[in-house]
Amino acid sequence: MKKYQVVFQPSGRRGEVLEGKTVIEASRELGEEIESLCGEERSCGKCKVRLEKGDLSPFTGEEAKFIQEAERTEGYRLACVAQIRGDIQVFVPEESRPGKQVIRKAANQRSIEKKPAIGLYYLELSPPTLHDPLGDFDRLKKDLSEKYNLFSLDIDYDTLKKIPNVLRQHDWKVTVTTWMEKEIVDIQPGKVEAAYGLAIDIGTTTVAGYLCNLQDGKVIATHSIMNPQISFGEDVISRIAYATGHPENGLEKIHRSIIDGLNGLIQEVTKRSDLSPEDILELTVVGNTTMHHFFLKINPEYVGLAPFPPAIQHSMDVKARDIGLKVHSSANVHILPIEAGFVGADNVGVLIAEEPYHQDEMVLIIDIGTNGELVMGNKSIMVSSSCATGPALEGAHIKFGMRAAPGAIERVRINPETYEVDFKVIGQESWHSELRIVTAKGICGSGVIAAIAELYRTGVIGKSGRFKKDVSSRRLRITDGRPEFVIAWKDETSVGKDITITQEDVRNVQLAKGALYTGAKLMMKKLGVQRLDQVILAGAFGSSIDTEEALILGMFPDCDLKNVYAVGNAAGDGARMALLNRNKRIEAEEIARKVKYLELTLEPDFQKEFIQALHIPHMKDPFPHLKGIVRDEILNQ
């Protein structure tokens, strides 16, 4: 029988499956978990998936019991019914996944001066009389100017419609909400002392929201989701290609997917705080250039073509209602500026959070994700660049790779004498050697980094990344003519298979880390820098990897490990700072124009540097700070 390629999103699981098997059977073979409360008796409807590409068996009456016509037109099927008829890509919605994704995008503790764009002003107005028939809005403006020195205020149309009833039903005692002391965006009865805003970081793979009290600056709730756009491609180039390849509705579908995802995020984050979406009066948004364009429904085609110009680089303020966000009807959305090309507003968020432009030391900031953004410099000069790291660092394009979720191996240790492996799984506190039952079902990005770093440190692979033939271990074996190393035996997994690192897995990680190193090296050359004083790893993935393992792999040039640290989701922190302090918006605009963008692929040494950077940790560059961490005979081979 024929075999067909099956890809599950958003986990990135993939593999070949025999024709005629159901989607849920394929999911079990490939380690993808899909909810099935009825044990595949076709009676619960909990295993809904959405066909994105390819051929499945015809829709059945059994499926019609659970899938409405609108869902059917969008490609929804029951995984326990639909059979594979060709190469397919299916999206598993959040509600069909029994294990929720672990998205590490918690808010960091930062000292932020409070100066929000939203202001609250309490008024006790005199009602109109025959002797004083001044209009309601004009009466508000008059009292606001006299009591609070607020002049030349405009009013949002949706708020204007509320004024007559609110004033008269509440004895003319109201709180007026303004935006930037320019526009009235709400009027509420009585004295109101709290206003709420939401900072959003739209990543290529994950999206995070931070709900804040705008008066005291506290984060009162956070929520993260997988970016639903992933069903249109794992990286920005794939999504741009989808949008341009479907001119009739491609852009609309990708835009609608992120807006629907954000509205779901908004519902969840406000519910956790006993608030409603209508309580959100302002939002700030960061994201890379492609995410920025999809969010605003701007054609991204030309961002993907040299010289990669964005439609707009400056910051923007738009009404939430104009782009379909379901919050307060008069709420404003502030989108931070873009630096250039693929270095977007997310990188600007990182900059205003970390402020390297105020430092004397030479700093490298790497925001590691499906796309890698790098900034290097100090108070004298700043240079930025972007490189396509691909999804390998997040578990995709890895044989047993998966995103960070319960069951994913996230840490690996290899004994240099016996080559035996110990590992730690997300959702279990202890290492597997301390547990009786281990339920590993794959390996996520941090686990892949750890495994390959350990394979190099223990001499199982060499600088070139190739497995060494002279290593004697039962874990190193040849399968289908190719070498692989067993991380977890099948009786230590929940998928009934050995979890391995293959030669192709190593190669995919080398390509990703080589891109990051090449970017940093070319930036150092451009600035005439011989060494780095500090390396900052930003982003959720940057926080999950071990800095020592990252240095062993050569994800960045040599640096004293005491000065290498992770800062979590700095892009989200920057969005939050811009939400709570409008001066940060001015700062963001200024620094975005000052940073010099370096297009790496145009540099004459790009190809040479990239080839050298593929080696572990590097073909030629010295790594003195690995002395004592990696044996000399391995480091100097």
Side-chain angles (χ1 to χ4, degrees), residues 384-424:
S384 67
S385 67
S386 175
C387 59
T389 54
L393 297 181
E394 295 181 332
H397 296 176
I398 301 296
K399 184 176 181 180
F400 287 94
M402 60 182 289
R403 304 204 193 279
I409 295 172
E410 63 172 342
R411 289 281 179 264
V412 175
R413 295 189 299 221
I414 300 176
N415 186 304
E417 305 299 328
T418 65
Y419 304 112
E420 286 305 297
V421 178
D422 201 0
F423 59 83
K424 187 176 180 299

Side-chain angles (χ1 to χ4, degrees), residues 50-69:
R50 188 173 71 235
L51 178 65
E52 301 291 345
K53 297 176 185 176
D55 298 312
L56 290 173
S57 57
F59 193 86
T60 70
E62 290 175 301
E63 294 175 279
K65 298 175 186 176
F66 305 101
I67 298 175
Q68 298 174 352
E69 186 62 31

